[in-house]
Amino acid sequence: MSTIALAMLAYNEARFLPIIAENIGDRISAAVILSDPPDNDGTLDLAKSLFGHLPGEIAYRPWPDSASAARNEVLEKARLLADYVLWIDPDSPLEGTIPFKLVAPAYLVETHAATLRYWVTHLVRSDTPARWVGRVHEYLEVAANDRLTTAHINRA
């Protein structure tokens, strides 16, 4: 079975965390969740109650000057904890299933946003070179992707 570390930045998004835990909590073996202080809705306390039993880090950390830099910090920490890193934005939970055995260097996951459907890299093998790029509207740059057809991201 491939292990998976959950990676995310979370700020004032407590309402989404229970959905993430319910949808994929049984497949997550580690978690790295950073929040820019202070949050106003208890996001980090809830993250600790849902994922704090797992190896990793759930902490406040002032974010660097760009979202990509903060995302890369989380990505690098998560790489050390599992075979794969699953990047999720809290307001865009994963729905469906993740196979127990993963083999590709990275996986695109179909994203649903109203009537739009598009593919975005969300799952990266820990030994695969990948990094977040861009100051705004950043994306995960990785050389090779397969499509994960058993799950999707819901941005609705």
Side-chain angles (χ1 to χ4, degrees), residues 1-2 4 27 97-102 107 123 148-151:
M1 177 168 85
S2 302
I4 300 172
R27 285 294 283 122
T97 60
I98 302 171
F100 285 102
K101 181 155 178 64
L102 300 166
Y107 290 93
L123 191 58
L148 183 69
T149 59
T150 58

Side-chain angles (χ1 to χ4, degrees), residues 130-149:
R131 68 185 182 97
W132 288 93
V133 294
R135 287 190 59 77
V136 179
H137 304 295
E138 59 282 344
Y139 64 94
L140 188 58
E141 182 179 73
V142 63
N145 287 300
D146 281 358
R147 290 187 177 196
L148 183 69
T149 59

Side-chain angles (χ1 to χ4, degrees), residues 22 71-72 121 135:
E22 181 180 329
R71 287 174 181 258
N72 282 323
T121 303
R135 287 190 59 77

Side-chain angles (χ1 to χ4, degrees), residues 5 32 34 57 61 72-81:
V32 178
L34 297 184
E57 179 180 0
R61 174 97 25 84
N72 282 323
E73 179 183 340
V74 171
L75 177 63
E76 291 310 309
K77 289 175 183 287
R79 284 179 191 273
L80 302 173
L81 300 170

Side-chain angles (χ1 to χ4, degrees), residues 4-11 17 20 28-35 43-44 47-48 50-61 63 69-82 84-90 126 132:
I4 300 172
L6 173 64
M8 72 169 64
L9 297 176
Y11 179 76
L17 296 180
I20 292 168
I28 302 304
S29 57
V32 178
I33 302 170
L34 297 184
S35 180
T43 294
L44 214 55
K48 287 177 182 176
L50 294 171
F51 304 107
H53 63 287
L54 299 171
E57 179 180 0
I58 300 172
Y60 285 115
R61 174 97 25 84
W63 291 345
R71 287 174 181 258
N72 282 323
E73 179 183 340
V74 171
L75 177 63
E76 291 310 309
K77 289 175 183 287
R79 284 179 191 273
L80 302 173
L81 300 170
Y84 281 82
V85 175
L86 173 64
W87 188 275
I88 296 182
D89 290 325
S126 293
W132 288 93

Side-chain angles (χ1 to χ4, degrees), residues 3 15 24 43 45 48-49 96 102 107 114 121 128 134:
T3 58
R15 67 188 179 277
I24 60 168
T43 294
D45 290 335
K48 287 177 182 176
S49 73
L102 300 166
Y107 290 93
T121 303
T128 299

